Amino acid sequence: MTAISTPTVSSQAALPFADLEQVYEQLAVTLDSVPETQHTLLLAQLALALAHRIPDIDQVIAAINEAREGIQIDEEGS
C-alpha cells in the first residue's frame, strides 16, 4: 500500500505527519483483519465516510485523483 502524497491545494489544515502515520497503521491493521476479497469494499466505504465529512466536493475529487496518480506512479516505478 502506498501513502498518498501531500495535497498541493487545500483550504483546510492537514493532519500532522505523526497522525498520518497513525492513520496508515490503523488502515493496515484493519485491512489485515478482513478477508482480502473485502478490501475493495472496505476502502470504498472508508472513502465515502471520509468524503461525507469534507464539505468541499472539489477537495474530494482532488483526493480521488491524487490517489489514482499515486497508483500510476507506483505501477510505472515497479
Side-chain angles (χ1 to χ4, degrees):
M1 178 178 275
T2 301
I4 295 176
S5 62
T6 305
T8 55
V9 178
S10 177
S11 62
Q12 297 180 4
L15 282 175
F17 185 76
D19 289 349
L20 287 176
E21 293 242 333
Q22 187 176 348
V23 169
Y24 183 85
E25 177 66 23
Q26 182 62 45
L27 181 57
V29 168
T30 301
L31 285 169
D32 286 346
S33 73
V34 300
E36 190 171 341
T37 57
Q38 297 296 306
H39 286 188
T40 301
L41 178 60
L42 184 138
L43 292 171
Q45 289 176 331
L46 172 61
L48 290 173
L50 292 171
H52 183 70
R53 290 164 171 78
I54 300 172
D56 182 342
I57 185 68
D58 292 333
Q59 285 193 15
V60 174
I61 298 300
I64 292 168
N65 291 331
E66 186 177 326
R68 180 179 49 200
E69 289 170 9
I71 290 171
Q72 289 172 346
I73 290 170
D74 283 351
E75 289 174 352
E76 292 170 5
S78 299

